[in-house]
Coordinates of all heavy atoms in Angstrom, one line a residue:
G1424 N -55.1 25.9 52.1 CA -55.8 26.9 51.4 C -55.4 26.7 49.8 O -54.4 26.0 49.5
K1425 N -56.2 27.3 49.0 CA -56.0 27.2 47.6 C -55.6 28.6 47.1 O -56.1 29.7 47.4 CB -57.2 26.9 46.8 CG -57.6 25.4 47.0 CD -58.8 25.1 46.2 CE -59.3 23.8 46.4 NZ -60.5 23.4 45.6
V1426 N -54.4 28.7 46.2 CA -54.1 29.8 45.6 C -54.2 29.5 44.1 O -53.8 28.6 43.5 CB -52.5 30.1 45.8 CG1 -52.1 31.3 45.0 CG2 -52.3 30.3 47.2
Y1427 N -55.1 30.5 43.4 CA -55.3 30.3 42.1 C -54.4 31.2 41.2 O -54.3 32.4 41.5 CB -56.8 30.8 41.7 CG -57.8 29.9 42.4 CD1 -58.3 29.9 43.7 CD2 -58.3 28.8 41.6 CE1 -59.2 29.1 44.1 CE2 -59.2 27.9 42.1 CZ -59.7 28.0 43.3 OH -60.6 27.2 43.9
I1428 N -53.7 30.5 40.3 CA -52.6 31.1 39.5 C -53.1 31.1 38.1 O -53.6 30.1 37.6 CB -51.3 30.3 39.7 CG1 -50.9 30.3 41.0 CG2 -50.2 30.8 38.7 CD1 -50.3 31.7 41.6
Q1429 N -52.9 32.3 37.4 CA -53.2 32.3 36.0 C -51.9 32.6 35.2 O -51.1 33.5 35.7 CB -54.2 33.4 35.7 CG -54.7 33.5 34.3 CD -55.8 34.5 34.0 OE1 -55.4 35.7 34.0 NE2 -57.0 34.2 34.0
F1430 N -51.7 31.9 34.0 CA -50.5 32.3 33.2 C -50.7 31.8 31.9 O -51.9 31.3 31.5 CB -49.4 31.3 33.7 CG -49.8 29.8 34.0 CD1 -49.4 28.9 32.9 CD2 -50.2 29.3 35.1 CE1 -49.8 27.6 33.1 CE2 -50.5 28.0 35.3 CZ -50.3 27.2 34.2
I1431 N -49.8 32.1 31.0 CA -49.8 31.9 29.6 C -49.0 30.7 29.3 O -47.9 30.8 29.7 CB -49.5 33.2 28.7 CG1 -50.4 34.3 29.1 CG2 -49.6 32.9 27.2 CD1 -51.9 34.3 28.7
V1432 N -49.6 29.7 28.5 CA -48.6 28.7 27.9 C -48.4 29.1 26.5 O -49.3 29.2 25.7 CB -49.3 27.3 28.0 CG1 -48.4 26.2 27.4 CG2 -49.5 26.9 29.4
S1433 N -47.1 29.5 26.2 CA -46.8 29.9 24.8 C -46.9 28.7 23.8 O -46.9 27.5 24.1 CB -45.5 30.6 24.9 OG -44.4 29.5 25.0
K1434 N -46.6 29.1 22.5 CA -46.6 28.1 21.6 C -45.5 27.2 21.6 O -45.6 26.0 21.2 CB -46.3 28.9 20.2 CG -47.5 29.8 19.7 CD -47.2 30.5 18.4 CE -48.2 31.6 18.1 NZ -47.9 32.3 16.9
T1435 N -44.4 27.5 22.3 CA -43.3 26.7 22.6 C -43.5 25.9 23.8 O -42.6 25.1 24.2 CB -42.0 27.4 22.6 OG1 -42.0 28.3 23.7 CG2 -41.7 28.1 21.2
G1436 N -44.5 26.1 24.7 CA -44.7 25.4 25.9 C -44.2 26.0 27.1 O -44.3 25.6 28.3
D1437 N -43.6 27.2 27.0 CA -43.0 28.1 28.1 C -44.2 28.6 28.9 O -45.2 29.0 28.4 CB -42.1 29.2 27.6 CG -40.9 28.6 27.0 OD1 -40.3 27.6 27.6 OD2 -40.4 29.2 26.0
I1438 N -44.0 28.8 30.2 CA -44.9 29.5 31.0 C -44.5 30.9 31.2 O -43.4 31.2 31.7 CB -45.1 28.7 32.5 CG1 -45.6 27.4 32.2 CG2 -46.0 29.5 33.4 CD1 -45.5 26.5 33.4
T1439 N -45.5 31.9 30.9 CA -45.2 33.3 30.9 C -46.3 34.0 31.7 O -47.4 33.4 31.9 CB -45.0 33.9 29.5 OG1 -46.1 33.8 28.8 CG2 -43.7 33.3 28.9
Q1440 N -46.1 35.3 32.0 CA -47.2 36.1 32.7 C -47.8 35.5 33.8 O -49.1 35.5 33.9 CB -48.2 36.6 31.5 CG -47.5 37.3 30.4 CD -48.5 37.8 29.3 OE1 -49.7 37.8 29.7 NE2 -48.0 38.0 28.2
V1441 N -47.2 35.0 34.7 CA -47.8 34.3 36.0 C -48.2 35.4 36.8 O -47.5 36.3 37.2 CB -46.7 33.4 36.6 CG1 -47.3 32.8 37.8 CG2 -46.1 32.5 35.7
K1442 N -49.5 35.2 37.2 CA -50.1 36.1 38.3 C -51.0 35.4 39.2 O -51.7 34.3 38.8 CB -50.7 37.3 37.6 CG -51.9 37.1 36.8 CD -52.3 38.4 36.2 CE -53.4 38.1 35.2 NZ -54.0 39.5 34.7
V1443 N -51.2 35.9 40.3 CA -52.2 35.4 41.3 C -53.5 35.9 41.1 O -53.7 37.0 41.1 CB -51.8 35.7 42.8 CG1 -52.7 35.2 43.8 CG2 -50.3 35.1 43.1
M1444 N -54.5 35.1 40.9 CA -55.8 35.5 40.7 C -56.6 35.6 42.1 O -57.4 36.5 42.4 CB -56.7 34.5 39.8 CG -56.0 34.5 38.4 SD -55.9 36.1 37.6 CE -57.5 36.7 37.4
K1445 N -56.3 34.7 43.0 CA -56.9 34.7 44.3 C -55.9 34.1 45.2 O -55.5 32.9 45.0 CB -58.2 33.8 44.3 CG -58.9 33.9 45.6 CD -60.3 33.1 45.5 CE -60.9 33.0 47.0 NZ -62.1 32.1 46.9
G1446 N -55.5 34.7 46.2 CA -54.5 34.2 47.1 C -54.9 34.1 48.5 O -56.1 34.5 48.9
I1447 N -54.1 33.6 49.3 CA -54.4 33.3 50.8 C -53.4 34.0 51.7 O -53.6 34.2 52.9 CB -54.5 31.8 51.2 CG1 -53.1 31.1 50.8 CG2 -55.6 31.2 50.4 CD1 -53.0 29.7 51.3
G1448 N -52.3 34.6 51.1 CA -51.4 35.4 51.8 C -50.4 34.5 52.7 O -50.2 33.3 52.2
Y1449 N -49.8 35.0 53.7 CA -48.8 34.1 54.5 C -47.6 33.6 53.7 O -47.0 32.6 53.9 CB -49.5 33.0 55.1 CG -50.8 33.4 56.0 CD1 -51.9 33.2 55.5 CD2 -50.5 34.0 57.2 CE1 -53.0 33.6 56.2 CE2 -51.5 34.5 57.9 CZ -52.9 34.3 57.5 OH -54.0 34.7 58.1
G1450 N -47.2 34.2 52.5 CA -46.1 33.9 51.7 C -46.5 32.8 50.8 O -45.7 32.4 49.9
C1451 N -47.8 32.2 50.8 CA -48.1 31.2 49.8 C -48.3 31.7 48.4 O -47.8 31.0 47.4 CB -49.4 30.5 50.3 SG -49.3 29.6 52.0
D1452 N -48.8 32.9 48.3 CA -48.9 33.5 46.9 C -47.6 33.6 46.2 O -47.4 33.2 45.1 CB -49.5 34.9 47.0 CG -50.9 34.9 47.8 OD1 -51.5 33.8 48.1 OD2 -51.5 36.0 48.1
E1453 N -46.6 34.2 46.9 CA -45.4 34.2 46.3 C -44.6 33.0 46.0 O -44.1 32.8 44.9 CB -44.3 35.1 47.2 CG -44.7 36.5 47.5 CD -46.0 36.7 48.6 OE1 -46.3 35.6 49.1 OE2 -46.3 37.9 48.6
E1454 N -44.9 32.0 46.9 CA -44.3 30.7 46.6 C -45.0 29.9 45.4 O -44.4 29.3 44.5 CB -44.5 29.8 47.9 CG -43.9 28.3 47.7 CD -42.5 28.3 47.5 OE1 -41.7 29.3 47.7 OE2 -41.9 27.3 47.2
A1455 N -46.3 30.2 45.3 CA -47.0 29.6 44.1 C -46.5 30.2 42.8 O -46.3 29.5 41.8 CB -48.6 29.9 44.2
V1456 N -46.3 31.6 42.8 CA -45.7 32.1 41.5 C -44.2 31.6 41.3 O -43.9 31.3 40.2 CB -45.6 33.7 41.7 CG1 -44.9 34.3 40.6 CG2 -47.2 34.2 41.8
R1457 N -43.5 31.5 42.3 CA -42.0 31.0 42.1 C -42.1 29.4 41.6 O -41.4 29.1 40.7 CB -41.3 30.9 43.5 CG -40.0 30.6 43.3 CD -39.3 30.3 44.7 NE -39.8 28.9 45.4 CZ -39.5 27.7 44.9 NH1 -38.6 27.6 43.9 NH2 -39.9 26.7 45.5
V1458 N -43.0 28.6 42.1 CA -43.1 27.3 41.6 C -43.6 27.2 40.1 O -43.0 26.5 39.3 CB -44.1 26.5 42.5 CG1 -44.5 25.1 41.8 CG2 -43.5 26.3 43.9
M1459 N -44.6 28.0 39.7 CA -44.9 28.1 38.4 C -43.9 28.6 37.5 O -43.7 27.9 36.3 CB -46.3 28.9 38.2 CG -47.5 28.2 38.9 SD -47.7 26.3 38.4 CE -47.9 26.5 36.7
K1460 N -43.2 29.5 37.8 CA -42.1 30.1 36.9 C -41.0 29.0 36.9 O -40.4 29.0 35.8 CB -41.6 31.4 37.6 CG -42.5 32.5 37.3 CD -41.9 33.9 37.8 CE -42.9 35.0 37.6 NZ -42.3 36.3 38.1
A1461 N -40.7 28.2 37.8 CA -39.7 27.2 37.8 C -40.2 25.9 37.2 O -39.3 25.0 37.0 CB -39.2 26.9 39.1
A1462 N -41.5 25.7 36.9 CA -41.9 24.5 36.2 C -41.3 24.3 34.9 O -41.0 25.1 34.1 CB -43.4 24.7 36.1
S1463 N -41.4 23.0 34.5 CA -41.0 22.5 33.2 C -41.9 23.0 32.1 O -43.0 23.4 32.4 CB -40.6 21.0 33.3 OG -41.9 20.4 33.5
K1464 N -41.6 22.8 30.9 CA -42.5 23.0 29.8 C -43.8 22.3 29.7 O -43.9 21.2 30.2 CB -41.8 22.9 28.5 CG -40.7 23.9 28.3 CD -40.2 23.9 26.8 CE -39.2 25.0 26.5 NZ -39.0 25.3 25.1
W1465 N -44.8 23.0 29.3 CA -46.1 22.4 29.2 C -46.4 22.1 27.7 O -45.7 22.7 26.9 CB -47.2 23.3 29.6 CG -47.4 23.4 31.2 CD1 -46.3 23.5 32.1 CD2 -48.5 23.4 31.9 NE1 -46.8 23.5 33.4 CE2 -48.3 23.5 33.3 CE3 -49.9 23.4 31.5 CZ2 -49.1 23.6 34.3 CZ3 -50.8 23.6 32.5 CH2 -50.4 23.7 34.0
K1466 N -47.3 21.2 27.4 CA -47.8 21.0 26.0 C -48.6 22.1 25.6 O -49.7 22.3 26.2 CB -48.5 19.6 26.0 CG -48.7 19.1 24.6 CD -49.4 17.8 24.6 CE -49.6 17.2 23.3 NZ -50.3 16.0 23.3
P1467 N -48.2 22.9 24.5 CA -49.1 24.0 24.1 C -50.4 23.5 23.5 O -50.6 22.3 23.0 CB -48.2 24.6 23.1 CG -47.3 23.5 22.5 CD -47.1 22.5 23.7
A1468 N -51.4 24.4 23.6 CA -52.8 24.1 23.1 C -52.6 24.1 21.5 O -51.8 24.8 20.9 CB -53.7 25.2 23.5
K1469 N -53.6 23.5 20.9 CA -53.5 23.5 19.4 C -54.8 23.9 18.9 O -55.9 23.6 19.4 CB -53.2 22.1 18.8 CG -51.8 21.7 19.2 CD -51.3 20.4 18.3 CE -49.9 20.3 18.5 NZ -49.3 19.2 17.6
Q1470 N -54.8 24.7 17.7 CA -56.0 25.1 17.0 C -55.8 24.9 15.6 O -54.8 25.3 15.1 CB -56.2 26.6 17.4 CG -57.6 27.1 16.9 CD -57.8 28.5 17.3 OE1 -56.9 29.3 17.7 NE2 -59.1 29.0 17.2
R1471 N -56.6 24.1 15.0 CA -56.5 23.7 13.6 C -55.1 23.1 13.3 O -54.5 23.3 12.3 CB -56.7 24.8 12.7 CG -58.2 25.4 12.8 CD -58.4 26.6 11.8 NE -59.7 27.1 12.1 CZ -59.8 28.4 12.1 NH1 -58.9 29.3 11.8 NH2 -61.1 29.0 12.4
G1472 N -54.6 22.3 14.3 CA -53.3 21.6 14.0 C -52.2 22.4 14.4 O -51.0 21.9 14.2
R1473 N -52.2 23.6 14.7 CA -51.1 24.5 14.9 C -51.0 24.9 16.5 O -52.1 25.1 17.0 CB -51.2 25.9 14.1 CG -51.2 25.6 12.6 CD -51.4 26.7 11.9 NE -50.1 27.4 11.7 CZ -49.7 28.4 11.1 NH1 -50.8 29.2 10.6 NH2 -48.6 28.9 11.0
A1474 N -49.8 25.0 17.0 CA -49.7 25.4 18.4 C -50.1 26.9 18.6 O -49.7 27.7 17.7 CB -48.2 25.2 18.9
V1475 N -50.8 27.1 19.5 CA -51.2 28.6 19.9 C -51.0 28.8 21.4 O -50.9 28.0 22.2 CB -52.7 28.8 19.6 CG1 -53.1 28.7 18.0 CG2 -53.6 27.9 20.3
N1476 N -50.9 30.1 21.8 CA -50.8 30.6 23.2 C -52.2 30.3 23.9 O -53.2 30.5 23.2 CB -50.5 32.0 23.3 CG -49.1 32.3 22.7 OD1 -48.3 31.5 22.5 ND2 -48.8 33.6 22.4
S1477 N -52.1 29.9 25.0 CA -53.4 29.7 25.8 C -53.2 30.2 27.2 O -52.2 30.1 27.8 CB -53.9 28.2 25.7 OG -52.8 27.5 26.3
R1478 N -54.3 30.8 27.8 CA -54.4 31.3 29.2 C -54.9 30.1 30.0 O -56.0 29.5 29.7 CB -55.2 32.5 29.1 CG -55.2 33.1 30.6 CD -56.1 34.3 30.6 NE -55.9 35.2 29.5 CZ -54.9 36.2 29.5 NH1 -54.2 36.4 30.6 NH2 -54.8 37.0 28.4
V1479 N -54.3 29.8 31.1 CA -54.6 28.7 32.0 C -54.7 29.3 33.4 O -53.9 30.0 33.9 CB -53.5 27.6 31.9 CG1 -53.9 26.4 32.8 CG2 -53.3 27.2 30.5
T1480 N -55.7 28.8 34.1 CA -55.8 29.1 35.5 C -55.9 27.7 36.3 O -56.6 26.8 36.0 CB -57.2 29.8 35.9 OG1 -57.2 31.0 35.0 CG2 -57.3 30.2 37.3
V1481 N -55.1 27.6 37.2 CA -54.9 26.4 38.0 C -55.0 26.6 39.6 O -54.4 27.7 40.0 CB -53.7 25.5 37.7 CG1 -53.8 25.1 36.3 CG2 -52.5 26.3 38.0
P1482 N -55.6 25.8 40.3 CA -55.5 26.1 41.8 C -54.3 25.3 42.4 O -54.0 24.1 42.0 CB -56.7 25.4 42.3 CG -57.1 24.3 41.3 CD -56.6 24.9 40.0
L1483 N -53.5 25.8 43.2 CA -52.4 25.2 43.9 C -52.9 25.0 45.3 O -53.1 26.1 46.0 CB -51.1 26.0 43.8 CG -50.5 26.1 42.4 CD1 -49.3 27.0 42.4 CD2 -50.2 24.7 41.8
I1484 N -52.8 23.9 45.9 CA -53.3 23.7 47.2 C -52.2 23.5 48.2 O -51.3 22.8 47.9 CB -54.1 22.3 47.3 CG1 -55.4 22.4 46.3 CG2 -54.7 22.1 48.7 CD1 -56.1 21.2 46.1
F1485 N -52.2 24.3 49.3 CA -51.3 24.4 50.3 C -51.8 23.8 51.6 O -52.9 24.1 52.0 CB -50.8 25.9 50.7 CG -49.9 26.3 49.5 CD1 -50.4 27.1 48.5 CD2 -48.6 26.3 49.7 CE1 -49.6 27.5 47.5 CE2 -47.7 26.8 48.8 CZ -48.3 27.5 47.6
K1486 N -51.1 22.9 52.2 CA -51.5 22.3 53.6 C -50.4 22.7 54.5 O -49.3 22.3 54.5 CB -51.5 20.9 53.4 CG -52.6 20.3 52.6 CD -52.8 18.8 52.6 CE -53.9 18.4 51.8 NZ -54.1 16.9 51.8
L1487 N -50.8 23.6 55.4 CA -49.9 24.2 56.4 C -50.0 23.3 57.6 O -51.1 23.0 58.1 CB -50.2 25.7 56.8 CG -50.2 26.6 55.5 CD1 -50.6 28.0 56.0 CD2 -48.8 26.6 54.9
T1488 N -48.8 22.9 58.2 CA -48.8 22.0 59.4 C -48.1 22.8 60.5 O -47.2 23.6 60.2 CB -48.2 20.7 59.1 OG1 -46.8 20.8 58.6 CG2 -49.0 19.9 58.2

């Protein structure tokens, strides 16, 4: 299933305000949040050549076996 996660990429590339937008349950939602909080820095968005905060939504796909 897919868990949709929304978060903010700060000006410095840190991931903050992680939340589940659409989950599937069974512990996958909590694991998706944990993985995103532990992720390395992202490249921040730029507007007029300056780094800005940006809201990002990504699907994380789980395959249960």
Side-chain angles (χ1 to χ4, degrees):
K1425 290 183 185 177
V1426 176
Y1427 290 88
I1428 299 290
Q1429 186 177 76
F1430 53 91
I1431 303 291
V1432 177
S1433 69
K1434 296 176 186 179
T1435 59
D1437 295 320
I1438 295 174
T1439 60
Q1440 299 180 22
V1441 180
K1442 62 181 177 179
V1443 175
M1444 297 307 292
K1445 182 179 177 187
I1447 58 174
Y1449 307 104
C1451 294
D1452 302 350
E1453 294 81 5
E1454 182 64 12
V1456 170
R1457 185 194 69 77
V1458 167
M1459 289 311 301
K1460 286 183 177 180
S1463 59
K1464 289 191 174 199
W1465 284 40
K1466 187 175 180 182
K1469 291 195 174 189
Q1470 186 174 21
R1471 297 184 189 139
R1473 301 178 81 182
V1475 294
N1476 294 341
S1477 61
R1478 185 177 312 270
V1479 180
T1480 303
V1481 296
L1483 295 178
I1484 300 170
F1485 286 86
K1486 291 184 181 181
L1487 304 176
T1488 56

